[in-house]
């Protein structure tokens, strides 16, 4: 039970990470840009998240976390702000690759 949140993070990023190296996807070429941008955004949300955790607005159940904390936040929560955006960005990359998503022109 103590590893539940960590496993959620791990399994949400496992398949996207492995398929990032597929020759038709080549998402690994965007790792540097992804990590730079996600760290900037995550830093902002982690400050907010930490302040709410300290104020008691929300908390984390010790039954589901391993107990390592940074700035009053479990390590799993910090990883969440990297893993979930990675999985979502990878999913959009795949959909865009195969279905040519993009911005629709503005109708006049």
């Amino acid at each position: 039970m103590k590893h539940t949140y960590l496993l959620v993070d791990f399994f949400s990023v496992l398949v996207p990470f492995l398929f990032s190296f597929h020759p038709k996807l080549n998402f690994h070429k965007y790792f540097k840009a992804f990590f730079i941008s996600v760290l900037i955004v995550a830093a902002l949300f982690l400050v907010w998240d930490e302040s709410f955790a300290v104020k008691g607005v929300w908390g984390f159940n010790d039954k589901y976390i391993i107990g390592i904390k940074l700035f009053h936040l479990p390590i799993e929560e910090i990883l969440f702000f990297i893993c979930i955006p990675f999985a979502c960005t990878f999913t959009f990359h795949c959909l865009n690759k195969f279905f040519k998503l993009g911005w629709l022109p503005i109708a006049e």
Side-chain angles (χ1 to χ4, degrees):
M1 282 290 259
K2 280 230 172 257
H3 296 90
T4 302
Y5 196 177
L6 192 60
L7 290 172
V8 168
D9 287 338
F10 176 73
F11 284 113
S12 65
V13 80
L14 179 64
V15 173
F17 178 76
L18 293 176
F19 276 90
S20 293
F21 301 96
H22 190 281
K24 287 188 178 182
L25 299 174
N26 289 319
F27 187 67
H28 67 280
K29 293 180 179 180
Y30 303 103
F31 278 4
K32 182 178 177 183
F34 170 79
F35 283 110
I36 290 170
S37 61
V38 83
L39 290 176
I40 292 168
V41 174
L44 298 171
F45 279 101
L46 286 168
V47 168
W48 174 52
D49 198 13
E50 193 262 349
S51 69
F52 275 40
V54 168
K55 291 176 185 174
V57 175
W58 57 64
F60 303 94
N61 191 328
D62 290 334
K63 291 192 312 190
Y64 302 109
I65 59 175
I66 60 175
I68 299 171
K69 293 187 177 185
L70 295 170
F71 306 110
H72 303 99
L73 294 175
I75 193 74
E76 297 90 341
E77 179 74 355
I78 295 166
L79 290 172
F80 175 87
F81 285 97
I82 298 168
C83 295
I84 301 307
F86 183 84
C88 293
T89 304
F90 175 79
T91 302
F92 181 79
H93 176 78
C94 291
L95 291 171
N96 192 41
K97 198 80 153 162
F98 295 110
F99 298 107
K100 302 296 181 217
L101 302 177
W103 298 102
L104 296 173
I106 297 173
E108 293 184 30

